[in-house]
């Protein structure tokens, strides 16, 4: 098993290697955050397109069905009930408006869902959190070397070991 920079795990790495590894991982994190933002924007665009499609469908149904459906429905109501033909045409029109209204409400629900989506805001908050964590990061504390005034053999040996 090896570390991201190719050195074996557990081996002492230089500060340059550690810095290069941290830089690589930070760069990968930023790229992943950008990819996440793009994916969420794509999803929001799809929801918006679905909303527009349903609105267009509602309008097309209302427009193209009015003449045929009004005649068929009005004559059907007249045959079934024996009411005045004008009342039958009004009922036929009301049924078409009701269908278009239901489709419009479905389109409105899709539009609200697309508007409520907070994909980009979530990504921005995540990036701010990552930046905050990195700003608060402190280097690992290292033991202080013994003072030069201490001339004991153990102190001299410790200094010689730490400097080699």
């Amino acid at each position: 098993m090896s570390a991201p920079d190719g050195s074996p795990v557990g081996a002492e790495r230089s500060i340059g290697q550690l810095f290069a590894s941290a830089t690589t991982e930070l760069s990968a994190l930023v790229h992943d955050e950008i990819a996440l933002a793009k994916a969420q924007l794509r999803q929001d665009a799809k929801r918006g397109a679905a909303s527009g499609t349903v609105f267009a469908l509602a309008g097309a149904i209302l427009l193209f069905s009015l003449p045929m459906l009004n005649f068929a429905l009005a004559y059907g109501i007249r045959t079934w009930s024996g009411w005045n033909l004008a009342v039958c045409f009004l009922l036929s029109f009301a049924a078409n408006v009701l269908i278009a209204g239901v489709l419009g409400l479905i389109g409105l629900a899709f539009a609200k869902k697309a508007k409520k989506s907070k994909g980009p805001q979530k990504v921005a908050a995540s990036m701010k959190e990552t930046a905050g964590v990195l700003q608060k990061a402190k280097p690992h504390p290292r033991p202080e070397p013994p003072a030069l005034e201490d001339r004991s053999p153990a102190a001299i040996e410790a200094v010689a070991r730490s400097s080699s």
Side-chain angles (χ1 to χ4, degrees):
M1 186 179 286
S2 64
D5 64 354
S7 65
V9 173
E12 293 293 325
R13 296 189 293 174
S14 69
I15 294 201
Q17 288 171 330
L18 292 172
F19 185 75
S21 176
T23 303
T24 302
E25 290 174 14
L26 183 61
S27 175
L29 178 65
V30 169
H31 285 290
D32 289 344
E33 293 281 347
I34 291 171
L36 175 64
K38 285 181 182 179
Q40 288 175 339
L41 286 173
R42 232 179 272 122
Q43 183 180 13
D44 290 346
K46 285 181 184 177
R47 284 185 183 149
S51 170
T53 301
V54 172
F55 277 129
L57 184 61
I61 286 177
L62 182 62
L63 182 66
F64 292 121
S65 71
L66 283 178
M68 250 203 276
L69 288 178
N70 279 340
F71 280 106
L73 191 58
Y75 283 113
I77 292 172
R78 168 137 177 141
T79 302
W80 176 69
S81 67
W83 293 341
N84 186 358
L85 194 57
V87 172
C88 296
F89 272 103
L90 284 175
L91 287 174
S92 174
F93 176 74
N96 287 324
V97 169
L98 180 69
I99 291 170
V102 167
L103 288 173
L105 289 175
I106 292 171
L108 189 61
F110 278 123
K112 282 184 178 181
K113 195 179 268 189
K115 188 176 181 181
K116 273 186 179 180
S117 177
K118 303 225 186 278
Q121 290 86 353
K122 287 179 187 176
V123 172
S126 173
M127 291 183 82
K128 285 180 184 177
E129 182 181 335
T130 302
V133 167
L134 291 175
Q135 285 177 350
K136 294 176 184 176
K138 295 180 181 175
H140 184 70
R142 298 178 187 261
E144 290 291 324
L148 292 178
E149 291 79 33
D150 185 13
R151 303 281 183 185
S152 67
I156 294 172
E157 185 179 326
V159 170
R161 248 186 284 128
S162 67
S163 61
S164 59

